[in-house]
């Protein structure tokens, strides 16, 4: 479904992501691990068009125009953020509605001259948003402002916002950070559920037990390069990976 | 693939965003009823002229609430659009005649200039945008003073047309008060409808995290442009009302000081809703006037207020 070929992002002379290539099948969940500064978030930025990038990315064989956020969204690629970027002054419902693609009756003329049909569309959005919030275990805070939620729950809210876009692929940037034990379990279940429904997932995560649990395959980034890729257990046994991730084991 | 399948719907109370739960029109009605007491309490022409001026500034401040409060755009241009609405309607009154046409011309010309300006400076954010609007204000003042075929000699213009509805002419301070109260009612209802619509949500989303908005396919430039032009058009309408209420305009009424005063109105009154703009406008206009008339502090304050 997703094919990434020699994707490169340069900031001045620094290649934050360097010739990264990989493919992702329908509904596949792939983990991306690597030490801080390995280029994981930059890779997500590149795939969602938030930074200039070279190389090629295609979705179902259709080439994706890089460097702009619009095409990525319309190709069905959405993301969450490492530090949650929710809309603090808006309710959770409205935060989820932001992800929805159907913008019918959202304009000024509808607000003034077509209020009944505007309100009808809105009621549909509220109901849908509430369903999605229940799905990410936030049903009880649907009307609460996002700014009042803990960091961990704001991450779930971002996942709900991403689900609202009916995406083909969700890029999760450290989704488990800030979650407690039961919340992490619920997130893992949610990711597995999304995957069985054909949504592709790219999961950046530092918690290796979480990665082992939800990602059958991983890609290891170090200094912008993909240094290993494959089934999770095999990759974790690779000494080169352990060097990159945990520091050198030369004296072991 | 259908992501809605994920979730089993639960029967029960339907959640709705608080901004849609809040009723605003009853408060609009309550405010208007309270304001109808003003002529009973203060029948004098001087007091009514202050009330009328307050209403025109309130309309401009409500527009600025849309630009700055909801959309977060740091604009000092509200005063110059207020002036543009005033001069454009005065020009229309001189050449084409009639109050209603003058009002429409004032609003339309203001909106067109706001569109062109916003497109020209679309890359400028925050402080750069603020500087650009300051520049526009200064240029506008020069134009008002120098372009005499449009604005009259050195920008000094008499505005003679009084508003009229079905033959009833609003030709005294008191009658003008009732007319302006009607205009304020319309503006409050239109704004209440915006606050209770997706327009508010989109404006806040683009204000708080434009990059997130863009990554969900939202037309961020369009959202900002609409809010800027809309709020500026309120200023244009307010300026047209101001010109016809005052009967005489000159460039000094539309300086950057007024732009800062409009900022003050919205910030003092509160950025969270349109009521802040109304309360702020009342405070910023009445406080100096009240000072000047107060027997205890009036003599020392009247010069500076």
């Amino acid at each position: 479904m997703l094919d990434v070929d020699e994707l490169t992002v340069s900031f001045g002379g620094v290649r934050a992501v360097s010739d990264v290539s990989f493919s992702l099948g329908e509904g596949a969940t792939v983990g991306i691990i690597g030490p801080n500064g390995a280029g994981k978030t930059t890779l997500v930025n590149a795939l969602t068009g938030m930074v200039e990038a070279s190389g090629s990315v295609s979705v179902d064989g259709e080439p994706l125009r890089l460097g702009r956020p619009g095409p990525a969204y319309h190709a069905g690629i959405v993301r969450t953020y490492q530090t949650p970027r929710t809309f603090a002054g808006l309710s959770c419902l409205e935060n989820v509605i932001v992800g929805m693609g159907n913008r019918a009756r959202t304009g000024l003329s509808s607000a003034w001259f077509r209020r009944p049909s505007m309100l009808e569309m809105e009621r549909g959005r509220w109901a849908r948003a509430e369903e999605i919030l229940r799905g990410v275990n936030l049903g009880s805070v649907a009307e609460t402002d996002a700014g009042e939620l803990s960091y961990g729950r704001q991450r779930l809210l971002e996942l709900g916002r991403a689900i609202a876009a009916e995406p083909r692929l969700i890029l999760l940037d450290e989704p488990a950070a800030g979650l407690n034990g039961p919340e992490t379990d619920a997130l893992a279940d949610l990711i597995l559920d999304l995957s069985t429904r054909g949504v592709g997932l790219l999961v950046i995560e530092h918690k290796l037990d979480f990665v082992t649990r939800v990602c059958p395959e991983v890609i290891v980034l170090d200094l912008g390069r993909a240094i290993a890729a494959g089934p999770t257990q095999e990759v974790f046994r690779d000494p080169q990976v352990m060097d990159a991730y945990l520091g050198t084991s030369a004296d072991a | 693939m259908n992501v809605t399948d994920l979730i089993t719907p639960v029967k029960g109370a339907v959640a709705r965003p608080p901004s849609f739960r809040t009723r605003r029109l009853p408060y609009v009605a309550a405010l208007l009823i309270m304001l109808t007491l003003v002529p009973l309490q203060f029948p004098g022409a001087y007091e009514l002229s202050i009330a009328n001026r307050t209403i025109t500034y309130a309309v401009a401040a409500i527009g600025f609430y849309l630009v700055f409060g909801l959309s977060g755009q740091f604009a000092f241009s509200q005063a110059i659009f207020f002036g543009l609405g005033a001069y454009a309607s005065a020009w229309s009154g001189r050449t084409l005649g009639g109050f209603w046409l003058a009002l429409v011309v004032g609003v339309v010309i203001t909106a067109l200039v706001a569109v062109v300006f916003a497109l020209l400076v679309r890359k400028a954010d925050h402080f750069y945008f603020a500087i650009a609007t300051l520049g526009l204000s200064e240029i506008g003042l020069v134009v008002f003073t120098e372009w005499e075929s449009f604005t009259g000699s050195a920008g000094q213009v008499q505005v003679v047309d009084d508003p009229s509805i079905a033959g009833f002419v609003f030709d005294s301070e008191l009658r003008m008060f009732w007319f302006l109260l009607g205009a304020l009612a319309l503006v409050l209802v239109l704004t209440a409808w915006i606050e209770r619509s997706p327009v508010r949500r989109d404006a806040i989303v683009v204000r708080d995290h434009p990059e997130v908005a863009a990554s969900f396919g939202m037309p961020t430039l369009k959202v900002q442009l609409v809010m800027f032009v809309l709020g500026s058009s309120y200023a244009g309408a307010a300026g047209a009302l101001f010109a016809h209420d005052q009967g005489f305009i000159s460039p000094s009424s539309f300086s950057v000081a007024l732009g800062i005063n409009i900022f003050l109105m919205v910030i003092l009154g509160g950025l969270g809703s349109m009521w802040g703009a109304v309360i702020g406008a009342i405070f910023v206009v009445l406080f100096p006037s009240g000072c000047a008339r107060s027997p205890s502090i009036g003599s020392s304050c009247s010069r500076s207020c």
Side-chain angles (χ1 to χ4, degrees):
Chain A
M1 177 187 78
L2 177 78
D3 291 292
V4 178
D5 193 33
E6 301 198 338
L7 190 68
T8 299
V9 180
S10 304
F11 299 119
V14 183
R15 286 165 76 109
V17 172
S18 184
D19 296 325
V20 171
S21 305
F22 65 93
S23 302
L24 196 82
E26 192 87 17
T29 304
V30 172
I32 299 209
I33 63 170
N36 289 327
K40 304 185 296 294
T41 297
T42 307
L43 175 64
V44 170
N45 287 342
L47 289 174
T48 49
M50 298 180 90
V51 292
E52 288 292 342
S54 62
S56 79
V57 175
S58 60
V59 178
D60 295 330
E62 290 284 311
L64 184 72
R65 186 170 169 194
L66 300 173
R68 290 164 148 269
Y73 175 77
H74 293 294
I77 303 177
V78 294
R79 66 172 294 183
T80 67
Y81 294 86
Q82 192 176 349
T83 313
R85 296 190 194 176
T86 55
F87 301 99
L90 295 178
S91 62
C92 290
L93 283 175
E94 291 162 295
N95 270 272
V96 169
I97 290 170
V98 170
M100 294 179 187
N102 182 350
R103 295 185 47 77
R105 299 279 182 274
T106 58
L108 184 61
S109 60
S110 304
W112 280 350
F113 308 119
R114 313 178 89 159
R115 288 193 71 75
S117 84
M118 178 276 284
L119 284 168
E120 196 186 314
M121 286 292 297
E122 278 296 292
R123 276 192 286 271
R125 290 190 180 100
W126 304 335
R128 175 89 199 289
E130 197 183 3
E131 283 175 25
I132 291 170
L133 283 170
R134 288 213 186 89
V136 296
N137 304 317
L138 292 175
S140 59
V141 290
E143 295 183 3
T144 308
D145 282 355
E148 293 174 26
L149 302 189
S150 68
Y151 254 36
R153 300 184 98 189
Q154 289 190 45
R155 282 210 167 74
L156 292 175
L157 182 59
E158 286 204 344
L159 181 57
R161 184 170 74 192
I163 290 171
E166 301 190 6
R168 315 268 341 252
L169 173 67
I170 305 180
L171 313 176
L172 297 165
D173 199 347
E174 298 197 22
L179 296 187
N180 63 27
E183 284 172 338
T184 309
D185 292 343
L187 178 70
D189 290 344
L190 200 65
I191 288 174
L192 294 171
D193 196 17
L194 280 167
S195 178
T196 60
R197 283 163 202 277
V199 181
L201 291 135
L202 214 54
V203 184
I204 295 180
E205 193 47 76
H206 279 301
K207 293 181 177 173
L208 295 187
D209 53 341
F210 185 80
V211 174
T212 315
R213 201 157 132 202
V214 300
C215 307
E217 289 180 57
V218 290
I219 298 166
V220 185
L221 288 188
D222 188 30
L223 299 173
R225 293 182 175 280
I227 58 167
T232 307
Q233 293 301 337
E234 279 176 38
V235 169
F236 279 2
R237 282 195 292 271
D238 184 337
Q240 197 194 350
V241 172
M242 297 326 282
D243 279 359
Y245 212 78
L246 303 173
T248 180
S249 56
D251 51 3
Chain B
M1 176 213 67
N2 186 355
V3 193
T4 28
D5 297 349
L6 258 182
I7 299 103
T8 22
V10 178
K11 294 269 189 302
V14 182
R16 57 166 60 189
S19 62
F20 281 83
R21 206 171 271 292
T22 324
R23 294 265 160 206
R24 293 178 182 81
L25 296 188
Y27 294 96
V28 171
L31 176 74
L32 294 171
I33 290 168
M34 263 164 57
L35 290 178
T36 58
L37 300 177
V38 169
L40 297 177
Q41 197 66 33
F42 304 101
Y46 174 73
E47 283 87 352
L48 282 174
S49 76
I50 290 174
N52 290 351
R53 199 152 48 89
T54 308
I55 294 176
T56 56
Y57 286 152
V59 171
I62 294 167
F64 191 59
Y65 156 70
L66 299 175
V67 174
F68 183 62
L70 279 189
S71 189
Q73 302 185 59
F74 228 98
F76 287 98
S77 50
Q78 201 72 350
I80 209 68
F81 287 131
F82 186 80
L84 182 58
Y87 278 110
S89 72
W91 170 81
S92 168
R94 272 204 319 281
T95 54
L96 308 167
F99 167 78
W100 291 105
L101 181 62
L103 178 63
V104 171
V105 167
V107 173
V108 169
I109 288 184
T110 306
L112 288 177
V113 173
V115 169
V116 172
F117 174 76
L119 285 174
L120 282 175
V121 302
R122 67 187 179 280
K123 300 272 183 198
D125 263 354
H126 305 293
F127 295 114
Y128 300 98
F129 182 76
I131 298 292
T133 57
L134 278 175
L136 180 75
S137 301
E138 290 303 327
I139 293 166
L141 283 180
V142 173
V143 171
F144 291 162
T145 313
E146 302 294 334
W147 191 8
E148 300 197 337
S149 59
F150 176 58
T151 59
S153 174
Q156 319 280 317
V157 192
Q158 297 283 139
V159 185
V160 289
D161 293 303
D162 286 314
S164 65
I165 296 174
F168 184 85
V169 184
F170 297 88
D171 54 1
S172 68
E173 288 291 353
L174 179 61
R175 288 176 175 184
M176 198 63 193
F177 175 81
W178 296 120
F179 180 77
L180 290 173
L181 199 59
L184 179 67
L186 178 67
V187 165
L188 286 172
V189 169
L190 288 176
T191 312
W193 278 346
I194 287 172
E195 288 196 325
R196 204 163 184 275
S197 82
V199 175
R200 173 183 184 271
R201 177 176 66 230
D202 285 354
I204 291 174
V205 163
V206 174
R207 175 192 76 191
D208 286 357
H209 294 295
E211 77 292 349
V212 176
S215 80
F216 283 101
M218 203 175 275
T220 53
L221 176 65
K222 184 183 153 199
V223 169
Q224 284 193 305
L225 193 83
V226 166
M227 294 307 283
F228 181 74
V229 173
L230 179 67
S232 301
S233 304
Y234 277 42
L241 294 172
F242 176 84
H244 286 83
D245 173 49
Q246 299 280 304
F248 174 80
I249 50 175
S250 77
S252 62
S253 306
F254 313 116
S255 64
V256 174
L258 175 62
I260 292 169
N261 263 338
I262 292 173
F263 246 107
L264 208 59
M265 292 173 195
V266 173
I267 289 169
L268 285 180
L271 287 166
S273 78
M274 66 178 188
W275 301 116
V278 177
I279 294 165
I282 292 173
F283 181 79
V284 169
V285 179
L286 292 196
F287 187 69
S289 316
C291 268
R293 289 170 61 81
S294 155
S296 55
I297 53 174
S299 56
S300 57
C301 186
S302 58
R303 268 182 301 275
S304 56
C305 294

